[in-house]
Amino acid sequence: GAVAEDALALWNSSITNLKFAVIRDSSAAQAVSNGFNNVFFSPAIYGDAWGSRTLAITLRRYTGTSIVEADVLFNSRLTWDSYRGNLRNSTTTIPGGPTLINGILYDFRRVALHEFGHALGLDHPDDIGQSVSAIMNSAIGNLDTLMADDIAGAQALYDGTAPPIITTPPANQTVTVGSTATFHVSPTGSQPFTYQWFKNGTAIPGATNSFLTLNNASLDSAGSYTVTVSNAAGSATSAAALLIVNVPVIPLPIIFTPPRSQTVAEGQAVSFTLTFSGTGQLTYQWRKDGTPIPGATNQSLMITSPTIIDAGDYTVTITNAGGSVTSTPATLTVIATRLTNLSVRTTLTAGQILTVGFTVTGGAKSLLLRAAGPGLAALGVTGTMADPKLVLFKDAAPVATNDNWSGDPAVAAAMTTVGAFPFPTTTSLDAALVRSIEGGHTVQVSGPTAGNLIVEAYDAGSGHTPRLTNLSALNRVGTGTDLMIAGFTLTGLGPKRLLIRAIGPTLAAAPFNLTGTLVDPRLELYNSASTLIAVNDTWASTLSATFSTVGAFPLVAGSKDAAMVVSLLPGGYTVQVAGNGGATGLAIVEIYELP
């Protein structure tokens, strides 16, 4: 009884013009239409069975539109308790065993509040689609006291017009530029209501509905929004709802697989690609060694015919509205097939001079120069020159000389680096020196006694940019084993085009005017397996333009000089120059790198 009286007292405190009066243990009969408002527990509804989900029921009797009697019956077949807060479960604990959940432990007070509201004439607000927080909603829940909507309804029935009460104020929102924001308000009280929305305290023209929709929100739309709800009894203003408008966040592109480093032969097409993800409009910029490459603005980068100058570190920067991301560098290594060794084997008479020329292009390069006589004897060659001497010239001026190498550590180290055959002892009379060379130079080799020897020039430096681009040898061409024989080595990855010439007749003409030249040289090219792969007896006039491209002096028109253009893979090769018909004489053999 005390719990029921507490529920009635809560209603009494909420309305003015009507109050519940309590008669405990009344002797009035518990019957329908007996003129009394009965409140009791019952196993049935005046003889009718309880519904499976019915907790309690209020039976109202009307005369016209006035309630003249209201009986409230509680289902005595259920388990009841009285507590505050969230609904609880009824449990049974088995000694030594688990705790069983039997079902909901019904709170008599919140059900009594609900049924006494029906006795006042209130119905379920959610039955007509209202979404409010109310004890009078149709389903029992965690509410355990009267809410604003319950009180406003009772006041509207018994105290006249009720002022608005805002039960659901507008909520804070965060949107992005260009999207839609909508604020809602839910009031209770006596209708009709009028609405006025405000932004930062200023009325918004035309914003007079229970909701406010802001289409295509901009940064200027951000602010504090309130709404004032009014009726005949008064007005109520909601708490402020903040609208935050953000610029859309576009994530940075993500590079999953960056471009990979590659090593290619000069002239071999190379492509840099990557895998990535990104949103919005994307742009691309490729860079070499940190410098933007003009026009390189696609997802991939193709270099159709790379040269040495294309070697370096490549990156790509991908940009969208969220920012930019740059790939890790991919290193492009371009291996140019190049001349790395020239050797001329010949027989000299006492005091006879063999002249070997070479050109280094692209900067300075360290070269190993050797004149081996005793060193050849150690390899089983007979009749070698006992004490060769070499002199290095630049523009006809001597710049270095060596007669005996004397175990020079720099020479020994260079011989190991380039793979040259070793000299027999540090006291052998072979000649050798190491020199940094740039541009064109010549070496003259001679000896006080006759004999066989070999003159060699090795690329002993690193890198591919400074390199040997021209090799030549001037000597007398004999017969049999006394032919002019020049060997050279190509190092790299891909094929290399060369111009090879054997010149005799043009040397007899101006401006050279040499005597005793070879009248009709024959040029033969062999690979490392001693297989003849190219031969020329008389040059073709169509090669004149090729001579000009590499700076080679022109040949006399119609002369019997020999020349050929060949494309060779890396490896060792031998050029032999002989005179047709067994003729002998002075000749020069030349090897030029072609573009």
Side-chain angles (χ1 to χ4, degrees), residues 192-261:
F193 298 118
T194 60
Y195 304 88
Q196 178 60 60
W197 289 88
F198 298 82
K199 177 190 175 188
N200 297 333
T202 301
I204 303 172
T208 56
N209 295 313
S210 62
F211 59 90
L212 174 64
T213 300
L214 303 173
N215 295 312
N216 194 25
S218 67
L219 293 177
D220 291 338
S221 302
S224 174
Y225 289 82
T226 58
V227 60
T228 296
V229 183
S230 303
N231 66 5
S235 63
T237 299
S238 70
L242 295 180
L243 175 62
I244 298 173
V245 182
N246 292 326
V247 176
V249 177
I250 298 178
L252 285 171
I254 299 174
I255 295 176
F256 299 117
T257 307
R260 64 181 180 86
S261 297

Side-chain angles (χ1 to χ4, degrees), residues 171-176 179-181 183 242-246:
N172 295 337
Q173 291 193 55
T174 300
V175 297
T176 56
S179 60
T180 299
F183 293 106
L242 295 180
L243 175 62
I244 298 173
V245 182
N246 292 326

Side-chain angles (χ1 to χ4, degrees), residues 53 55 114 118 123-127 134-141:
R53 300 177 60 188
L55 308 181
H114 181 95
H118 284 320
D123 290 323
H124 300 147
D126 54 350
D127 284 348
I135 200 76
M136 293 307 300
N137 280 335
S138 59
I140 188 173

